[in-house]
Amino acid sequence: MADLLKKGVAEPVETKDVKEALKAKEVKENANAERAQSGEKTKADMEKYSLSKTLFDTVAQKEPSMVVFNNDGGAVASHKPVKKQIQFADEKQEFSRFPTKTGRRSLSRSISQSSTDSYSSAASYTDSSDDETSPRDKQQTNSKNSSDFCVKNIKQAEFGRREIEIAEQEMSALIALRKRAQGEKPLAGAKIVGCTHITAQTAVLIETLGALGAQCRWAACNIYSTQNEVAAALAEAGFAVFAWKGESEDDFWWCIDCCVNMNGWQANMILDDGGDLTHWVYKKYPNVFKKIRGIVEESVTGVHRLYQLSKAGKLCVPAMNVNDSVTKQKFDNLYCCRESILDGLKRTTDVMFGGKQVVVCGYGEVGKGCCAALKALGAIVYVTEIDPICALQACMDGFRVMKLNEVIRQVDLIITCTGNKNVVTREQLDRMKNGCIVCNMGHSNTEIDVASLRTPELTWERVRSQVDHVIWPDGKRVVLLAEGRLLNLSCSTVPTFVLSITATTQALALIELYNAPEGRYKQDVYLLPKKMDEYVASLHLPTFDAHLTELTEDQAKYLGLNKNGPFKPNYYRY
């Protein structure tokens, strides 16, 4: 031991195994050189590429092969470092710059699976060999021998059922409503055709409507947001679901038509998200539209369309504007987006937000949620607005209100959430800096002028699922997420508890419209009654072990209120 404790670093001591391997390598290389000179090309030419791996494996199977000394004079064991090479089956294999459609899908899936295969949007327990076959070309039946559905793979139903069960744990209020009302069957006789995001949370709503007596047929309102395994679970449970992740535009309208155009079945209620279903029925099946007893709409875009129909005198059925109900706008729009915006951006881009310059277009409830989340992580946030009231709110919340053109060249990230069209134009896209990320948090894909990017001079490069590099001739790249569609439900997950609030509101709106006596609701657009908003909120309070204070008779009389509510007038702004 005393002999080992010498100052300095000793020369590595090579073992017999290492010497033999090195000698074998030298012999092999000499032989290869001779063959190369003579022009022979045999399989032995490739052995030199794997020789270093053989050497590494030979040494690794033994005890440490050399002894070195650290600066303190202590002896430590170590392997002699050997560079490990990767051997390909075909050394001449190259990737095509522009792969085929099949190759592009496969490559995209392999690159992005770990970052996008979440249970919300990209998650599907799908055999990759089955991915290229359109569900429209398949013949599938569930365990009840029914084929009245079209999903990616009915065999995923078991996994989808687990996702639904997880969602139910966070949607206790909706489950409570189901248990309270399923004995009365308030939706008995209702034939509801729905067009929403098909996720585990929506599945809990659909099954609740079924438990309350309704017959349901469902399509997706977004071509990217469907959870394939959840759609399969609903189909297995007997619901007519026509949806899968990655639909084409033609598939999208075909699925909606399959829900509406069914022999022997005619819808009498519509639950819509975005207005596409309502528009389709109004245009293609006017006789069916006239017999609808009520429409429930939950998005800004869809509500806007309803008001347009009403203003033009073409809305011949009553409609409920759920989007502007307090429980939807102040909770789903704000708190859901505050959490899911970060989730969607992280999964798709792995971006760090600290110090990044971000523009949020629109400071409504969605914009407020996005700004709050990004500011909390250290981003420098600008806001664009057309409304002076929202602009003043943004200023007093600590954000700079600017025009997009004033900051377009310097920002790292642009998020649209206005509900408008052409908020980000081609001219502005041309002026963005290299690497700028562009995405949309509004329902519709009209906010970013994506169509203007599909021109010959620009190259589209799929990086991973829902992530494209749009490359300009000078090499500049803009990172476009979900092709300008709704980011959070296309690329990530959304908080289940918040969606429970929205789903409960939708269920109550359907019950109200379906059971309302004739004459209560005319051919117009209505807000959810205040009493219902308060009831939805009260159902969710037990989750937080919250205890409401009760008014005394004297206090209620002083305020001019009923002790049991509603506690605010309709004009009150929360």
Side-chain angles (χ1 to χ4, degrees), residues 344-456:
L345 287 169
K346 286 288 188 182
R347 289 178 190 237
T348 50
T349 65
D350 305 313
V351 66
M352 181 175 177
F353 297 106
K356 291 292 192 300
Q357 297 192 58
V358 182
V359 172
V360 176
C361 300
Y363 202 68
E365 298 304 321
V366 174
K368 289 180 174 70
C370 294
C371 288
L374 293 162
K375 182 180 180 181
L377 290 188
I380 302 165
V381 182
Y382 304 98
V383 170
T384 70
E385 251 301 340
I386 61 170
D387 187 329
I389 296 175
C390 292
L392 183 58
Q393 287 179 315
C395 290
M396 299 191 71
D397 284 338
F399 302 109
R400 289 287 307 277
V401 177
M402 311 284 285
K403 292 183 178 180
L404 183 56
N405 285 333
E406 294 173 342
V407 293
I408 192 69
R409 292 187 182 277
Q410 68 193 58
V411 293
D412 304 291
L413 170 62
I414 296 176
I415 303 169
T416 59
C417 43
T418 68
N420 206 341
K421 64 179 290 188
N422 294 335
V423 178
V424 178
T425 65
R426 171 61 190 271
E427 179 186 0
Q428 291 164 333
L429 289 160
D430 287 337
R431 295 172 60 199
M432 290 176 189
K433 71 177 186 180
N434 182 51
C436 184
I437 301 168
V438 185
C439 65
N440 170 47
M441 281 290 285
H443 176 83
S444 179
N445 63 337
T446 59
E447 302 203 29
I448 303 166
D449 188 10
V450 176
S452 69
L453 298 177
R454 301 190 185 279
T455 54

Side-chain angles (χ1 to χ4, degrees), residues 7 59 154 204 220 223 226 232 248 257 269 276 332 390 462 483 515 528 563:
K7 294 182 180 181
V59 176
I154 191 64
V204 179
I223 64 175
T226 298
S248 66
D257 194 70
M269 297 291 293
D276 290 319
D332 191 337
C390 292
R462 175 55 56 94
E483 297 183 16
N515 291 282
L528 196 71
K563 274 188 66 175

Side-chain angles (χ1 to χ4, degrees), residues 276-349:
D276 290 319
L277 171 60
T278 302
H279 173 79
W280 186 261
V281 177
Y282 173 77
K283 290 288 187 180
K284 299 291 184 177
Y285 303 98
N287 292 332
V288 174
F289 190 77
K290 292 175 182 177
K291 296 178 182 178
I292 296 292
R293 296 176 63 169
I295 301 170
V296 174
E297 172 59 56
E298 72 153 319
S299 75
V300 173
T301 304
V303 166
H304 180 64
R305 290 177 172 182
L306 286 175
Y307 280 120
Q308 285 181 324
L309 284 175
S310 178
K311 186 176 180 180
K314 298 178 180 179
L315 184 64
C316 54
V317 297
M320 195 73 78
N321 171 7
V322 167
N323 179 74
D324 292 315
S325 65
V326 177
T327 44
K328 167 64 166 61
Q329 188 177 69
K330 295 294 181 179
F331 294 91
D332 191 337
N333 292 9
L334 175 62
Y335 298 112
C336 176
C337 296
R338 190 174 70 180
E339 297 195 16
S340 60
I341 178 64
L342 301 180
D343 191 12
L345 287 169
K346 286 288 188 182
R347 289 178 190 237
T348 50
T349 65

